Amino acid sequence: EVQLVESGGDLVQPGGSLRLSCAASGFTFSSYWMTWARQAPGKGLEWVANIKQDGSEKYYVDSVKGRFTISRDNAKNSLYLQISSLRAEDTAVYYCARSAGYTYVYYFDYWGQGTLVTVSS
Amino acid sequence: DIQMTQSPSTLSASVGDRVTITCRASQSIGKWLAWYQQRPGKAPKILIHEASSLESGVPSRFSGSGSGTEFTLSISSLQPDDFATYYCQQYESYWTFGQGTKVEIK
């Protein structure tokens, strides 16, 4: 059974930093692109970042470029999102998701339950 | 950037009703469209990919159609479990979601 479990969400002051983690199990982690998406309270879904199987390609939504870094450790079956220079508008539930597709990211076929990041003073 | 627009934003319906949700893309995306269901407090769940391909395990009352810039998600006979918010998502160029359609009980 595919499982994705996020952790690391917290209350952070504006300008602060945080590292989110996602522990994957139930599939061959190193064979899949992986994704972070987010959902602000009461709002819709927003794709945030993708990373290729070997970490050689990464894509980010414009609003987080230069502030967020996606990474992975295939030996630990783990995905990470380093988030910095946090703003109030980054407040959201952050989801880890598995990406369907091998050479390209198509849709997201499995999602974790999410971890809440709150940016507030 | 490709923008995705769903309509309506909210839909009131009764158990047994047929409902249809529309998703429009700001430019042609071929058939590169997925639909998700999200229940309150839960993660999204993939329903349909490539505009009309039903994911394994998804009830056959769900169906998708369309290509280019206009797409629809239909539920043939609404069940209690179907009251949720539905999102479309394009993957032709990067990845963007529609704003969501909430299906609520009439």
Side-chain angles (χ1 to χ4, degrees), chain A residues 33 37 39 42-47 49-50 59-62 65 95 104-114, chain B residues 1 32 34 36 38 41-46 48-50 55 87 89-100:
Chain A
W33 284 79
Q39 186 169 36
K43 302 296 183 183
L45 298 165
E46 180 182 40
W47 163 74
N50 292 334
Y59 300 96
Y60 299 92
V61 68
D62 284 347
K65 282 179 183 174
Y95 292 102
Y104 180 70
V105 177
Y106 295 104
Y107 52 95
F108 313 119
D109 59 358
Y110 287 92
W111 297 65
Q113 286 306 300
Chain B
D1 292 5
W32 301 124
Y36 300 84
Q38 187 178 34
K42 300 295 185 182
K45 173 189 170 185
I46 182 72
I48 287 168
H49 68 270
E50 210 166 325
E55 281 293 303
Y87 294 92
Q89 175 237 325
Q90 68 82 19
Y91 47 97
E92 200 285 328
S93 175
Y94 290 85
W95 304 270
T96 47
F97 292 88
Q99 82 278 16

Side-chain angles (χ1 to χ4, degrees), chain A residues 9-20:
Chain A
D10 205 347
L11 170 62
V12 189
Q13 291 191 339
S17 298
L18 212 53
R19 188 171 93 146
L20 307 182

